[in-house]
């Protein structure tokens, strides 16, 4: 497997942010259930716009009816990043915020007035006003890795006035931040190797956090204690990345784009894996209104649309570049995708990244 931490620093960014694609080789399991053999794609209305370099996660501001996209900009001779404000219907750029740090993960507050973006390479998080686009506050976390670099702040979750931010360290940790004051409240320690995806479950009133050691941590958001650790328990090696949930059925979905190259479905009540969907998998979203699952396949350059009951592939969209982050619109009828370009040897990219709007 490729090392999770590589040099130069630009390569590190690709590894620790939410859209990382890790490649490895693994012998196929004897018995697999594959959903990757998709039928011929149907004609579905989609719109693609080039926006800029280094596009990562997105949020939809319900207050401003805008789509915000975090950008790290380039990694060669480029300082700082951008936050793009797009028209969610046309994907035209309606505003730009130039930031002195690079932006990666994104989370919206409850009313859409504010959103938060992780400054992964610098180990920080920024609060942004959704109406003006201005950075209002920022918190930089203390601590360095073994190479003397800041510990990466990967995914960010907003929940009841707190931010839960995964630290890419070994052992990893989760920083709990007061979102109003932007001060550190506590750290959830011993969170395993490299904390990756983080979501909240309204069904169980628990925070779920994935890590690079193949664990899903079950965290009490009131006590900030890890109560359980879910694993596949099948003897295979996993590097879990991103999470989604169907709260109506208590199913938890987690992707692995490393050795396993699969999406696992956990039963939250029993903690057991009830389904394995083969195929490279990076981003994942569940759409309750349409009872569908969406999976971005960075390596295969596809986005899959699955029936959430049967796991059958209903449709797929192919691209010339690499699908990464996904976002479902509030009404559940639109899927947004960021597309990444390949990197050259000098850490420049082969062109600008794009945002795709798919009418479901």
């Amino acid at each position: 497997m490729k090392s999770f931490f590589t040099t130069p620093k630009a390569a590190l960014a690709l590894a620790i942010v939410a859209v990382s694609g890790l490649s490895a080789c693994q012998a196929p399991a004897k018995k697999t259930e594959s959903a990757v053999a998709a039928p011929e794609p149907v004609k579905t209305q989609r719109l693609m716009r080039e926006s800029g370099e280094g596009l990562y996660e997105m949020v939809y501001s319900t207050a401003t009816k805008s789509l915000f996209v975090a950008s790290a900009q380039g990694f060669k001779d480029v300082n700082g990043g951008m936050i793009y404000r797009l028209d969610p219907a046309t994907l035209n750029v309606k505003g730009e915020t130039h930031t002195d740090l690079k932006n990666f993960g994104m989370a919206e507050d409850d009313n859409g007035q504010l959103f938060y973006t992780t400054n992964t390479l610098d180990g920080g998080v920024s609060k942004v006003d959704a109406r003006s686009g201005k950075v209002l506050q920022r918190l930089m976390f203390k601590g360095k890795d073994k190479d003397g670099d800041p510990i990466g702040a990967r995914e960010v979750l907003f929940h009841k006035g707190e931010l839960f931010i995964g630290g890419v360290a070994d052992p990893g940790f989760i920083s709990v931040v007061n979102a109003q004051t932007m001060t550190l409240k506590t750290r959830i320690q011993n969170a395993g190797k490299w904390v990756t995806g983080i979501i909240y479950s309204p069904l169980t009133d628990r925070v779920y956090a994935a890590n690079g050691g193949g664990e899903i941590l079950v965290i009490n958001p009131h006590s900030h204690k890890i109560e359980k650790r879910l694993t596949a328990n099948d003897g295979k090696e996993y590097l879990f990345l991103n999470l989604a949930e169907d709260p109506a059925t208590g199913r938890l979905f987690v992707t692995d784009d490393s050795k396993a190259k699969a999406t696992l479905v956990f039963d939250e009540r029993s903690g057991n894996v009830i389904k394995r969907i083969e195929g490279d998998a990076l981003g994942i979203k569940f759409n309750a209104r349409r009872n569908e699952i969406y999976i971005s396949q960075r390596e295969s350059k596809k986005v899959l649309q699955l029936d959430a009951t049967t796991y059958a592939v209903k449709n797929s969209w192919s691209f010339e570049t690499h699908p990464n982050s996904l976002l479902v619109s509030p009404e559940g009828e639109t899927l947004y995708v960021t597309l990444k370009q390949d990197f050259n040897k000098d850490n420049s990219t082969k062109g600008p990244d794009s945002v795709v709007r798919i009418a479901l």
Side-chain angles (χ1 to χ4, degrees), residues 79 82 184 219 240 261 268 272 277 302 307 309 343:
N79 294 309
M82 293 276 287
L184 181 67
I219 300 167
F240 289 154
K261 296 249 185 285
E268 295 176 26
N272 296 328
I277 304 170
K302 292 182 179 180
D307 182 288
T309 300
F343 274 77

Side-chain angles (χ1 to χ4, degrees), residues 69-233:
V69 187
S71 167
Q73 291 293 90
F75 292 104
K76 181 187 178 184
D77 302 326
V78 178
N79 294 309
M82 293 276 287
I83 298 172
Y84 293 101
R85 179 176 181 165
L86 307 183
D87 183 305
T90 66
L91 299 184
N92 291 332
V93 176
K94 296 297 185 181
E96 298 178 345
T97 298
H98 298 258
T99 60
D100 57 325
L101 300 181
K102 298 181 180 299
N103 310 293
F104 296 93
M106 298 274 269
E108 181 191 15
D109 72 353
D110 290 332
N111 57 25
Q113 300 284 352
L114 301 167
F115 63 87
Y116 304 84
T117 180
T118 54
N119 308 117
T120 300
L121 297 185
D122 296 278
V125 60
S126 298
K127 178 197 291 188
V128 185
D129 180 83
R131 294 195 180 277
S132 67
K134 293 182 179 180
V135 175
L136 302 177
Q137 288 175 282
R138 178 178 288 157
L139 173 64
M140 306 306 297
F141 299 113
K142 297 179 180 179
K144 304 285 185 180
D145 63 19
K146 63 181 181 180
D147 297 320
D149 295 318
I151 295 172
R154 189 185 189 267
E155 199 77 355
V156 53
L157 165 71
F158 179 91
H159 174 64
K160 292 187 176 179
E162 292 183 338
L163 304 177
F164 292 77
I165 302 167
V168 184
D170 187 12
F173 54 85
I174 299 170
S175 299
V176 182
V177 175
N178 182 313
Q180 181 177 2
T181 63
M182 293 296 283
T183 55
L184 181 67
K185 295 183 66 174
T186 187
R187 269 188 174 176
I188 302 171
Q189 302 286 359
N190 300 315
K193 187 177 183 180
W194 312 324
V195 179
T196 51
I198 305 179
I199 64 169
Y200 170 75
S201 167
L203 174 66
T204 62
D205 188 27
R206 292 295 180 268
V207 170
Y208 293 98
N211 67 30
E215 296 178 320
I216 296 176
L217 311 177
V218 183
I219 300 167
N220 186 319
H222 309 286
S223 66
H224 303 129
K225 302 294 184 183
I226 299 173
E227 297 180 335
K228 297 179 183 177
R229 297 173 187 260
L230 308 182
T231 64
N233 198 30

Side-chain angles (χ1 to χ4, degrees), residues 280-297:
D280 61 299
L282 186 61
I284 186 164
K285 294 293 181 183
F286 172 75
N287 186 342
R289 297 197 180 186
R290 295 178 57 90
N291 191 40
E292 291 175 342
I293 303 166
Y294 312 107
I295 299 173
S296 63
Q297 296 186 301

Side-chain angles (χ1 to χ4, degrees), residues 325-346:
S325 297
L326 303 173
L327 180 70
V328 178
S329 63
E331 81 285 352
E333 295 301 322
T334 306
L335 178 68
Y336 297 97
V337 186
T338 53
L339 299 179
K340 300 290 297 174
Q341 291 278 358
D342 286 314
F343 274 77
N344 298 312
K345 291 182 178 180
D346 65 353

